[in-house]
Amino acid sequence: MSDVAPSEGERLQKVLARAGFGSRRVCEELIDDGRVRLNGAVARLGDRVDTANGVVEVDGVPIGVAPDLVHYLLNKPAGVVTTAADPQGRPTVVDLVPPEPRVHPVGRLDLDTEGLLLLTNDGTLTHRLTHPSFGVEKEYLAQVQGRPSRGAIRRLREGVDLDDGRTAPAEASLVAPDLVRLTIHEGRNRQVRRMCEAVGHPVVRLVRTRIGPLRDPQLRPGRWRPLTLEEVRALERAARPAGERR
Ligand code: URA
């Protein structure tokens, strides 16, 4: 049961419908089937949600419920800083998306790294995507110096010793003689660059090509687009604690 008085807040089925779970009718069925929790308890038809503070879960996955949530997928070009404001006055990723409502980048890409970056004002999703225990996969294409051997690729896969500890097992493959595809689910600082360097192949160019279920080869550098509701749902599902992933 919600803490909100019966007449306050928005009807749960309306909030669910807006978040992309289907028509209000379908959302009522979700509630009726006991698949929705509100503030930790199984929700009931007629429950209302305080969209500023209420916690809504569908099938155990917390979802963002504020009415003005936006989620942008940006293809970050090199030379743009992943921050909201840069003291040195360099262009930032926030300059590349609409100014209102204000959004923040989820995680960061180095100044010279290109590729997919999520920006949002959805705090629930941000927390889940950035917390190490949720371990959402990120895929990178790294153009490197030299020609990595099979042994070097195996080391990337099995884990390499960095100054902040050994990296977790990763997916690594060679897609061209100097091009490594690397999928990691940790988010350490400059991790891909340091891993490649550690196996003797410093990175020349680095592009992030996937964040969990999100990829978009059509999105040109410097461009952004809103995520679809299905993509937001898929991201929320991908951001589950390791033991709960299906
Ligand atoms: N790994 C890196 O080395 N740099 C990035 O920007 C992202 C991952």
Side-chain angles (χ1 to χ4, degrees):
M1 267 264 285
S2 154
D3 295 335
V4 181
S7 58
E8 286 176 35
E10 273 189 81
R11 281 194 181 280
L12 183 55
Q13 61 268 38
K14 181 174 170 199
V15 170
L16 291 171
R18 182 174 61 222
F21 285 91
S23 66
R24 288 199 197 177
R25 180 67 197 274
V26 167
C27 294
E28 283 170 7
E29 280 171 20
L30 278 179
I31 299 168
D32 231 9
D33 290 345
R35 293 171 58 188
V36 183
R37 294 176 83 85
L38 175 57
N39 300 331
V42 175
R44 294 194 308 217
L45 270 180
D47 278 351
R48 286 176 179 266
V49 190
D50 164 8
T51 51
N53 302 302
V55 178
V56 176
E57 293 163 71
V58 177
D59 294 333
V61 178
I63 61 159
V65 291
D68 59 349
L69 294 184
V70 292
H71 306 84
Y72 303 136
L73 186 65
L74 171 73
N75 186 348
K76 177 191 159 323
V80 175
V81 203
T82 307
T83 173
D86 182 48
Q88 297 174 45
R90 293 170 296 185
T92 77
V93 291
V94 169
D95 297 333
L96 296 174
V97 297
E100 293 294 332
R102 286 175 66 140
V103 292
H104 51 258
V106 179
R108 63 183 288 281
L109 292 177
D110 301 333
L111 181 67
D112 289 329
T113 302
E114 303 158 55
L116 298 184
L117 182 74
L118 192 66
L119 294 107
T120 184
N121 56 357
D122 183 341
T124 307
L125 186 62
T126 302
H127 172 74
R128 289 173 71 81
L129 288 173
T130 49
H131 199 277
S133 65
F134 292 102
V136 174
E137 280 185 352
K138 284 132 198 151
E139 179 189 279
Y140 297 87
L141 271 181
Q143 188 185 353
V144 297
Q145 283 176 26
R147 302 276 189 268
S149 63
R150 279 198 213 159
I153 297 296
R154 192 180 331 115
R155 283 183 63 204
L156 290 173
R157 250 182 229 147
E158 290 173 356
V160 291
D161 290 317
L162 300 180
D163 52 14
D164 53 356
R166 200 178 174 83
T167 60
E171 282 171 39
S173 58
L174 210 50
V175 292
D178 65 347
L179 202 57
V180 179
R181 179 180 292 128
L182 196 57
T183 306
I184 59 174
H185 52 82
E186 300 170 288
R188 300 198 220 166
N189 197 24
R190 299 180 69 81
Q191 183 168 343
V192 173
R193 291 176 195 275
R194 290 189 296 139
M195 287 173 76
C196 292
E197 178 134 25
V199 300
H201 297 280
V203 167
V204 177
R205 184 178 173 204
L206 185 59
V207 182
R208 182 150 73 187
T209 48
R210 181 167 65 84
I211 305 170
L214 302 181
R215 50 166 98 244
D216 191 342
Q218 314 300 335
L219 192 64
R220 302 213 311 269
R223 297 299 177 96
W224 64 273
R225 67 166 175 84
L227 292 189
T228 64
L229 288 175
E230 289 72 24
E231 287 175 322
V232 176
R233 294 285 83 81
L235 256 187
E236 285 168 342
R237 283 196 305 272
R240 282 171 171 267
E244 282 181 27
R245 245 166 270 151
R246 307 180 240 175

